[in-house]
Amino acid sequence: MTTDSDKNIILISNGIITPGYLQGVKDVVFQKFRLPVTIMENQGEISPFFDAYRKQYNANELLKETATLAPANALKTIGLFRVDLFIPILTYIFGQAIFQGPTAVASLHRLKNEFYGLKKDDALVLERFKKVVVHELGHAFGLKHCHQYGCVMNSSTYVEELDQKSIDFCRKCAMELELPPMPKKS
């Protein structure tokens, strides 16, 4: 029998994601949520979720697929992808979560500088990816978009907005998660 104290946050790597990225995401998720984090690999086929007209993958369908892969010890599960994501009402998204639900997804695709014609910067991509993953898990844990400048729960439509916010929760969001507040900037 699994108790809540046995529950993990599960990161499911879909496709080839650099081990350094996976470890970086695992470390920050553990730091921010203070729960055990496990990485799983999924080599399953995601082509059924590809929309040929949009040339993107339906994030809502990937959420459902990710939920089917969650092991019994999963408190929250987030699928990590390298493909371009959309939901029907938006042109693209960086990630998606079921609010107060068990599942989320995040993608590296639009986080790369090369996508925007800029010089490759792996460190920046990893920082952006960490923010997207923490943000989406925040939604899964019941946090809404926050209006506090710099909070990781700020809405991010563009990578520039990701770059401007912190990886940390503001005091209000941290309190909602029952976490210590974000450290003050000096």
Side-chain angles (χ1 to χ4, degrees), residues 124-162:
L124 182 59
V125 173
L126 177 56
E127 286 306 305
R128 289 171 176 167
F129 198 41
K130 289 176 183 179
K131 290 174 186 179
V132 171
V133 169
V134 170
H135 178 94
E136 296 308 334
L137 284 170
H139 286 318
F141 279 101
L143 294 178
K144 296 178 182 172
H145 283 149
C146 179
H147 299 291
Q148 178 67 40
Y149 179 79
C151 180
V152 74
M153 293 309 297
N154 276 144
S155 179
S156 300
T157 304
Y158 306 104
V159 290
E160 295 86 356
E161 293 169 329
L162 277 173

Side-chain angles (χ1 to χ4, degrees), residues 34-119:
R34 297 184 187 91
L35 291 165
V37 181
T38 302
I39 297 172
M40 291 177 48
E41 297 283 331
N42 176 36
Q43 300 304 325
E45 187 61 46
I46 64 169
S47 61
F49 313 113
F50 182 72
D51 183 304
Y53 177 75
R54 293 180 72 140
K55 297 181 176 48
Q56 295 173 296
Y57 289 80
N58 187 320
N60 292 331
E61 297 304 317
L62 289 173
L63 272 171
K64 292 176 193 173
E65 178 66 14
T66 299
T68 69
L69 301 171
N73 68 330
L75 178 62
K76 305 292 180 188
T77 302
I78 184 163
L80 307 176
F81 296 89
R82 298 180 60 92
V83 298
D84 200 9
L85 302 178
F86 79 95
I87 57 175
I89 63 168
L90 293 175
T91 305
Y92 67 89
I93 58 172
F94 302 127
Q96 174 86 340
I98 298 172
F99 184 73
Q100 294 181 330
T103 314
V105 294
S107 177
L108 286 160
H109 185 80
R110 287 182 182 256
L111 304 180
K112 300 175 192 173
N113 273 355
E114 305 91 294
F115 186 83
Y116 305 98
L118 302 171
K119 184 180 174 187

